[in-house]
């Protein structure tokens, strides 16, 4: 019995190979997508953590505006938790290139040959500098310029306050390098030139004449053993940072002991990894459910087809378990093989595709792809279990019948009228073939719902993918354009006054450059919901001139577009902040400033916003609440011609004034955020591609089942004289109609699925858009229909191969 039993299973696999392949393919796709996407973020983090460990990337950076001495280094060496310490020089300068272009440059000192070497660099081309007049240039940044080996860079005459900073006034490029410290291509803010660093260079310590260090980099004992993206790592670093901050003798101001999260490249990559993780937790589940539905449909049909064989075995005395085991093994073999293929491909394909997408923004090391046992077991066991349960369920419904019933073919449904026949105005005008189609669609409800649900699921997934792209792609342009209307941000030095600087006043009042400007107070605060104690850290924003707020910021309701007016009694919070605190209009929130002064407010409105969180109040409300005047040390303005030439001119003039700390332009912020979010777009493309592939497999499988279970019917109409194209139309008309109904249903379901995925995939300081563009509905519907047509073309060969003799086997 054992050999015969197994032989029977293998024979069934051979005879129904298309069905077996359908289950295997759907399982492989579901498992590969689920496991591969879930493993992507861990692989990204492991690869980056390994790169940081290998290059001795700093754990903590200490910045001293008053200078850091060797005595400070010696004090730090006494802290037991510190592993390595590297003092360093960093300075912002202007360098003129051979093409007469001025580069806003950040120059770093290289570690001396006999000292600890942190933030190690990798020589891409050239050699290490040996003399004070030789430098290395950051590789990818140079690709945006026109520099090459042996070019000479000269200190610009525009430099100020460079006395006792550098020993030489010109440098020769001797090499190009990559550095873990500059992991991404994001722009850094500078205190010279146009305010944006566009060149990173490295020189030996002999190139500097500074009397004190500007930075001290250090690593912490035990940090390398932990993943840098883990909470355990953060806790370890925070403990050491707190100890350092308690050393009063070290000359650095408060909030200047910085961990890796203050490094632009690290934090940007960390946020991107979090987004991938958020998407991977939600999207594959629905993908997986559609795959499970197809497996259920396929196995139900197989059991139904073998009713007579099941009845014969029951009549011969075989029990339900031994009979069902055949179908369970059939499904299990297909599922296990599919899982193996899915895991093999998924663990490599998805992390690699997403990793390569991020290479446009980061200098990434080789990707480490690990076989993640946890995700492998979760995804494969889940789908195998679902397939087996579906098979048992299909068997159970058949096994309740007695052998005599099973050994007879199932009696066809009795003929009866459909509801359209009771509407003569419609029914009498329909062609015969259309009447047959209508009767088949309405009478065979199981086939109808299985096909519609399967197609709807795929269309919903497609719409969610396209909608996610819409939600991500639109927010930057809405934030820095529709909501934030200003394009210039100037951070003034503490207690600085514009009026005290005639040159600054002249520039700001030059209507050929700047149309308007105003000053605001903007500081991070702690916000707590009084109802549920939820906490967030938004920025409180106060306008010096309340009447100017609408000229620079659009406060409005996202759903209705109705403007929100900020008056002396208003407290307006941004939408994402309101969601996090779980508050609505009329609720109380408690705001606590940096001086630990807290006050209670009533929320009067909730405004549209996508990046970070803000609370908008008036000057009078601020004074009443915190019993102090707000410091209006941020200037926002509107540049008339927002181009590179105008921005450089304004930035250079402003930074020449000692009252200005930093300058930023929203156009550059928009570009940086857009680059960050565009990389997420690649994930969406992968999702859309896989959803499309799933749709194709689902439609192929359902169409194949539809034709297989109607072979006698199709053979009969061939006997009646239907031509091949008429037979094809007979079947495909139903398939197309069911696809249309399924696709339309999927568009509706996709709206709710999109909302759920967007809400889940959002990160703390960013809100995705909530709307789906009309084009995405069209693309999702059109792709589904395209797959349906392609499947029909594929199946046409099978229709032609049906022999008319089959009609003679029809039930009496």
């Amino acid at each position: 019995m054992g050999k015969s039993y197994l032989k029977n299973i293998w024979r069934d696999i051979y005879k129904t190979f298309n069905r077996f392949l359908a289950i295997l393919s759907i399982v492989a796709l579901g498992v590969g997508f689920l496991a591969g996407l879930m493993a992507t973020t861990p692989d990204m983090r492991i690869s980056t953590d390994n790169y940081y460990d290998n290059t001795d990337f700093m754990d903590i950076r200490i910045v001293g505006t008053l200078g850091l001495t060797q005595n400070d280094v010696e004090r730090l060496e006494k802290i037991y938790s510190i592993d390595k310490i590297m003092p360093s020089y960093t300075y912002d300068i202007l360098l003129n290139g051979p093409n007469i272009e001025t580069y806003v440059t950040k120059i770093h000192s290289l570690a001396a040959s006999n000292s600890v070497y942190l933030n190690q660099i990798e020589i891409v081309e050239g050699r290490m500098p040996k003399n004070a007049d030789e430098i290395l240039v950051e590789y990818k940044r140079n690709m945006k310029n026109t520099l090459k080996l042996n070019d000479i860079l000269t200190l610009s005459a525009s430099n100020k306050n460079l006395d006792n900073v550098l020993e030489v006034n010109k440098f020769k490029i001797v090499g190009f390098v990559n550095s873990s410290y500059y992991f991404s291509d994001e722009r850094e803010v500078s205190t010279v030139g146009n305010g944006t660093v566009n060149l990173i260079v490295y020189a030996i310590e002999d190139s500097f004449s500074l009397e004190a260090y500007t930075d001290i980099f250090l690593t912490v004992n035990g940090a390398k053993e932990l993943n840098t993206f883990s909470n355990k790592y953060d806790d370890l670093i925070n403990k050491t940072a707190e100890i350092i901050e308690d050393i009063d003798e070290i000359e650095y101001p408060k909030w200047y002991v910085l961990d890796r999260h203050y490094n632009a490249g690290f934090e940007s990559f960390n946020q991107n990894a979090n987004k991938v993780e958020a998407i991977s937790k939600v999207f594959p589940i629905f993908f997986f459910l559609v795959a499970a539905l197809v497996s259920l449909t396929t196995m139900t049909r197989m059991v139904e087809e073998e009713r007579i064989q099941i009845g014969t075995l029951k009549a011969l005395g075989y029990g339900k378990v031994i009979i069902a085991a055949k179908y369970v093994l059939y499904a299990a073999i297909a599922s296990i093989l599919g899982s193996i293929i899915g895991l093999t491909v998924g663990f490599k394909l998805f992390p690699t595709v997403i990793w390569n997408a991020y290479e446009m923004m980061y200098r990434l090391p080789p990707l480490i792809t690990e076989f993640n046992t946890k995700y492998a077991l979760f995804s494969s066991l889940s789908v195998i279990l679902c397939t087996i349960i579906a098979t048992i369920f299909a068997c159970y419904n058949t096994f309740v019948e007695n052998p005599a019933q099973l050994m007879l073919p199932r009696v066809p449904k009795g003929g009866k009228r459909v509801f359209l026949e009771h509407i003569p105005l419609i029914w009498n005008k329909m062609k015969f073939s259309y009447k047959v189609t209508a009767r088949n669609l309405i009478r065979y409800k199981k086939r109808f719902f299985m096909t519609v649900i399967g197609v709807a699921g795929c269309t919903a997934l497609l719409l969610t993918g396209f909608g996610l792209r819409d939600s991500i792609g639109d927010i930057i342009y809405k934030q820095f354009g529709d909501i934030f209307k200003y394009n210039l941000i100037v951070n003034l030095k503490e207690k600085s006054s514009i009026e005290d600087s005639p040159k600054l006043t002249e520039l700001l009042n030059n209507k050929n450059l700047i149309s308007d400007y105003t000053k605001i107070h903007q500081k991070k605060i702690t916000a707590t919901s009084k109802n549920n104690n939820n906490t967030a850290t938004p920025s409180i924003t106060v306008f010096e001139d309340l009447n100017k707020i609408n000229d620079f910021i659009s406060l409005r309701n996202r759903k209705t577009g109705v403007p929100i007016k900020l008056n002396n009694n208003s407290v307006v919070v941004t939408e994402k902040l309101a969601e996090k605190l779980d508050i609505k209009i009329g609720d109380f929130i408690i705001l606590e400033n940096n001086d630990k002064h807290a006050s209670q407010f009533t929320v009067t409105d909730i405004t549209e916003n996508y990046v970070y969180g803000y609370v908008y109040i008036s000057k009078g409300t601020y004074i009443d609440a915190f019993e102090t005047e707000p410091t209006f040390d941020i200037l926002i303005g509107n540049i008339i011609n927002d181009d590179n030439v105008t921005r450089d001119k304004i930035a250079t003039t402003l930074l020449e004034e000692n009252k200005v700390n930093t300058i930023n332009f929203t156009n550059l912020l928009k570009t940086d955020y857009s680059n960050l979010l565009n990389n997420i777009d690649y994930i969406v493309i992968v999702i859309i591609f896989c959803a499309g592939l799933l749709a194709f497999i689902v439609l192929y499988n359902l169409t194949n089942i539809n034709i297989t279970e109607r072979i006698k019917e199709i053979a009969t109409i061939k006997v009646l004289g239907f031509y091949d194209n008429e037979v094809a139309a007979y079947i495909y008309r139903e398939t197309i109609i069911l696809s249309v109904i399924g696709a339309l249903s999927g568009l509706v379901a996709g709206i709710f699925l999109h909302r759920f995925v967007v809400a889940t995939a959002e990160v703390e300081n960013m809100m995705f858009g909530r709307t789906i563009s009309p084009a995405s509905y069209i693309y999702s519907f059109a792709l589904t229909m395209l797959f349906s047509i392609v499947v029909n073309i594929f199946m046409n060969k099978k229709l032609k191969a049906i022999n008319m003799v089959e009609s003679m086997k029809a039930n009496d």
Side-chain angles (χ1 to χ4, degrees):
M1 175 61 191
K3 286 185 179 180
S4 301
Y5 196 79
L6 291 174
K7 187 183 290 185
N8 193 27
I9 294 174
W10 293 121
R11 187 182 292 117
D12 277 348
I13 291 174
Y14 176 77
K15 286 169 54 181
T16 61
F17 187 70
N18 282 346
R19 176 181 294 150
F20 182 85
L21 192 61
I23 297 175
L24 185 149
S25 300
I26 208 79
V27 168
L29 190 60
V31 170
F33 189 75
L34 179 61
L37 203 54
M38 291 178 73
T40 296
T41 297
D43 286 349
M44 290 173 70
R45 288 172 174 162
I46 289 169
S47 302
T48 307
D49 179 64
N50 184 68
Y51 174 59
Y52 281 149
D53 290 344
N54 291 338
T55 57
D56 271 331
F57 184 50
M58 63 88 190
D59 292 313
I60 294 176
R61 175 192 177 198
I62 300 173
V63 180
T65 54
L66 303 178
L68 296 162
T69 66
Q70 187 60 35
N71 289 334
D72 296 326
V73 175
E74 291 171 1
R75 292 188 183 98
L76 290 168
E77 287 175 340
K78 295 177 182 178
I79 299 177
Y80 71 94
S81 60
I82 292 179
D83 181 21
K84 298 177 183 178
I85 300 176
M86 184 185 81
S88 178
Y89 304 111
T90 305
Y91 218 83
D92 287 4
I93 58 175
L94 297 173
L95 290 177
N96 290 333
N99 51 359
I100 321 180
E101 182 176 357
T102 299
Y103 297 98
V104 179
T105 307
K106 190 173 288 292
I107 183 169
H108 290 269
S109 66
L110 291 165
S113 58
N114 60 344
S115 66
V116 172
Y117 187 12
L118 302 182
N119 308 326
Q120 295 173 12
I121 58 173
E122 173 195 2
I123 297 285
V124 177
E125 183 182 359
R127 61 172 175 83
M128 291 289 287
K130 299 175 182 177
N131 304 312
D133 62 348
E134 296 178 338
I135 57 169
L136 301 171
V137 174
E138 193 74 24
Y139 180 69
K140 276 199 174 179
R141 292 174 188 273
N142 167 65
M143 296 300 100
K144 297 179 181 178
N145 306 303
T146 55
L147 299 177
K148 58 184 183 299
L149 285 177
N150 300 319
D151 279 349
I152 303 297
L153 299 176
T154 309
L155 284 177
S156 170
S158 301
N159 281 301
K160 292 185 177 182
N161 304 320
L162 280 188
D163 298 338
N164 301 320
V165 174
L166 295 170
E167 291 286 350
V168 294
N169 58 16
K170 64 179 180 179
F171 298 93
K172 178 182 178 181
I173 299 175
V174 296
F176 295 106
V177 298
N178 284 333
S179 168
S180 57
Y181 192 78
Y182 291 101
F183 192 53
S184 75
D185 284 332
E186 288 191 43
R187 299 172 177 85
E188 286 201 337
V189 175
S190 176
T191 57
V192 300
N194 62 7
T196 304
V197 174
N198 56 13
L199 195 68
I200 305 292
V201 301
Y202 302 86
I204 61 175
E205 288 189 346
D206 292 345
S207 304
F208 294 83
S209 55
L210 289 165
E211 295 181 356
Y213 300 114
T214 59
D215 308 89
I216 296 177
F217 297 100
L218 56 90
T219 56
V220 175
N221 284 316
K224 275 192 177 182
E225 286 70 37
L226 300 174
N227 190 306
T228 186
F229 300 98
S230 67
N231 292 330
K232 289 183 179 179
Y233 171 86
D234 286 340
D235 293 341
L236 179 68
I237 301 307
N238 289 338
K239 288 178 183 178
T240 301
E242 290 171 3
I243 295 171
I244 295 171
E245 288 176 336
D246 290 337
I247 303 177
D248 297 330
E249 296 88 352
I250 294 182
E251 295 293 341
Y252 57 83
K254 195 176 182 182
W255 313 98
Y256 275 64
V257 179
L258 313 176
D259 59 21
R260 289 182 178 179
H261 289 282
Y262 287 90
N263 179 270
F266 174 88
E267 186 56 24
S268 170
F269 184 85
N270 184 38
Q271 290 182 16
N272 273 309
N274 289 340
K275 291 186 184 73
V276 176
E277 183 178 43
I279 292 173
S280 71
K281 286 180 178 178
V282 180
F283 211 102
I285 302 301
F286 299 95
F287 200 95
F288 182 80
L289 291 176
V290 175
L293 174 66
V294 173
S295 298
L296 172 63
T297 307
T298 304
M299 291 311 301
T300 300
R301 179 58 198 162
M302 181 178 179
V303 173
E304 182 65 27
E305 285 178 356
E306 298 193 350
R307 286 171 50 83
I308 296 175
Q309 187 179 132
I310 293 170
T312 302
L313 290 172
K314 286 187 75 175
L316 291 173
Y318 292 105
K320 295 179 182 178
V321 174
I322 194 68
I323 299 173
K326 168 190 170 181
Y327 302 100
V328 170
L329 282 173
Y330 182 99
I333 292 170
S335 300
I336 291 170
L337 289 177
S339 296
I340 293 171
I341 295 170
L343 293 175
T344 304
V345 176
F347 276 150
K348 286 287 184 183
L349 178 64
F350 290 99
T352 301
V353 169
I354 294 170
W355 186 256
N356 290 337
Y358 280 111
E359 278 190 331
M360 298 194 319
M361 189 175 176
Y362 302 97
R363 285 181 283 283
L364 298 176
L367 175 65
I368 299 172
T369 54
E370 295 186 336
F371 186 87
N372 195 307
T373 305
K374 179 175 68 174
Y375 295 142
L377 290 175
F378 171 75
S379 56
S380 57
L381 290 180
S382 297
V383 74
I384 292 170
L385 190 63
C386 282
T387 307
I388 290 174
I389 291 174
T391 305
I392 294 172
F393 180 77
C395 291
Y396 176 80
N397 286 337
T398 303
F399 288 177
V400 294
E401 299 182 52
N402 60 48
Q405 291 174 313
L406 289 170
M407 284 190 286
L408 290 173
R410 189 179 293 279
V411 179
K413 296 180 83 173
K416 62 179 181 179
R417 292 188 173 190
V418 297
F419 73 91
L420 283 177
E421 295 183 55
H422 299 287
I423 310 175
L425 187 64
I426 298 175
W427 186 258
N428 293 339
K429 293 183 179 180
M430 291 174 65
K431 293 182 180 178
F432 171 75
S433 56
Y434 293 167
K435 290 179 178 179
V436 173
T437 299
R439 289 177 62 82
N440 286 337
L441 287 175
I442 297 171
R443 290 187 65 215
Y444 298 103
K445 295 180 177 60
K446 184 178 179 181
R447 181 196 305 159
F448 177 92
F449 285 111
M450 280 296 186
T451 305
V452 168
I453 292 171
V455 173
C458 294
T459 306
L461 286 167
L462 283 169
L463 182 63
T464 304
F466 283 115
L468 193 57
R469 187 187 62 174
D470 297 333
S471 299
I472 292 171
D474 291 346
I475 64 175
I476 297 305
Y477 298 97
K478 287 183 179 180
Q479 185 71 42
F480 299 102
D482 294 346
I483 298 172
F484 289 173
K485 301 176 185 177
Y486 57 88
N487 49 25
L488 171 66
I489 308 166
V490 181
N491 287 279
L492 301 171
K493 291 185 178 177
E494 192 174 357
K495 298 182 180 178
S496 293
S497 172
I498 297 174
E499 291 74 17
D500 295 340
S501 172
K503 193 173 183 179
L504 190 58
T505 303
E506 180 184 356
L507 173 71
L508 294 173
N509 291 315
N510 185 342
K511 298 302 180 183
N512 293 322
L513 291 176
I514 300 174
S515 61
D516 197 8
Y517 71 92
T518 190
K519 288 200 294 184
I520 63 172
H521 167 92
Q522 194 168 78
K523 293 287 187 295
K524 283 282 186 183
I525 56 167
T526 300
T528 306
S529 169
K530 189 176 179 182
N531 297 336
N532 49 40
N533 293 323
N534 288 355
T535 301
T537 54
S539 295
I540 192 166
T541 303
V542 183
F543 272 72
E544 186 178 48
D545 184 353
L546 194 60
N547 295 322
K548 282 194 169 185
I549 187 168
N550 290 328
D551 297 331
F552 297 95
I553 297 178
S554 175
L555 300 180
R556 66 192 185 194
N557 183 287
R558 178 181 60 83
K559 296 179 180 178
T560 64
V562 175
I564 296 172
K565 184 173 179 57
L566 188 71
N567 55 44
N568 287 325
N569 299 315
S570 299
V571 177
V572 179
V573 301
T574 51
E575 188 172 350
K576 179 71 174 179
L577 176 62
E579 286 182 5
K580 184 173 183 183
L581 296 179
D582 192 20
I583 57 175
K584 56 186 184 297
I585 295 174
D587 287 346
F588 294 106
I589 59 170
I590 299 171
L591 303 180
E592 183 181 294
N593 63 12
N594 292 336
D595 297 326
K596 303 299 179 183
H597 192 124
S599 188
Q600 180 175 292
F601 299 81
T602 303
V603 176
T604 59
D605 271 298
I606 297 173
T607 186
E608 180 180 8
N609 192 79
Y610 298 96
V611 180
Y612 294 110
Y614 299 91
V615 178
Y616 297 98
I617 63 175
S618 68
K619 179 181 177 180
T621 303
Y622 185 94
I623 295 172
D624 292 342
F626 299 112
E627 299 176 355
T628 185
E629 288 272 347
T631 54
F632 297 103
D633 53 0
I634 296 178
L635 182 149
I636 56 176
N638 288 316
I639 303 171
I640 294 176
N641 296 314
D642 191 11
D643 53 39
N644 290 333
V645 175
T646 306
R647 287 196 296 267
D648 287 350
K649 180 178 180 181
I650 292 172
T652 302
T653 304
L654 288 173
L655 287 171
E656 287 176 351
E657 293 295 306
N658 59 8
K659 297 182 181 301
V660 174
N661 233 343
T662 59
I663 296 172
N664 222 324
F665 300 94
T666 58
N667 185 65
L668 301 180
L669 289 174
K670 187 191 299 183
T671 301
D672 287 340
Y673 276 110
S674 182
N675 288 339
L676 184 148
L677 292 175
N678 282 343
N679 285 282
I680 299 296
D681 208 30
Y682 285 94
I683 304 172
V684 175
I685 291 171
V686 172
I687 291 171
I688 292 171
F689 175 79
C690 291
L693 188 58
L694 178 67
F696 183 84
I697 295 174
V698 167
L699 283 165
Y700 180 85
N701 192 47
L702 291 173
T703 305
N704 185 51
I705 290 173
N706 186 25
I707 292 174
T708 301
E709 68 182 5
R710 300 173 67 185
I711 285 179
K712 295 183 179 70
E713 178 187 343
I714 297 167
T716 301
I717 64 172
K718 279 191 171 188
V719 171
L720 293 174
F722 279 58
Y723 293 107
D724 285 342
N725 61 332
E726 292 175 318
V727 173
Y730 178 82
I731 296 296
Y732 296 154
R733 192 180 294 116
E734 295 178 26
T735 305
I736 293 296
I737 292 172
L738 289 174
S739 297
V740 169
I741 296 172
L744 292 174
S745 304
L747 294 180
V748 177
I751 296 172
F752 298 98
L753 179 57
H754 168 261
R755 289 177 185 173
F756 179 77
V757 171
V758 163
T760 308
E762 280 178 350
V763 291
E764 181 176 350
N765 291 323
M766 192 171 289
M767 187 179 90
F768 293 163
R770 298 294 195 266
T771 56
I772 304 174
S773 72
S776 294
Y777 289 96
I778 295 171
Y779 294 150
S780 302
F781 183 84
L783 275 176
T784 304
M785 298 312 301
L786 176 63
F787 293 139
S788 180
I789 293 169
V790 171
V791 166
N792 288 342
I793 294 172
F794 266 87
M795 299 304 296
N796 199 44
K797 185 178 179 181
K798 184 170 184 175
L799 279 177
K800 288 182 178 180
I802 294 176
N803 195 321
M804 287 186 280
V805 175
E806 290 289 332
S807 67
M808 304 303 294
K809 300 177 183 178
N811 302 327
D812 292 331

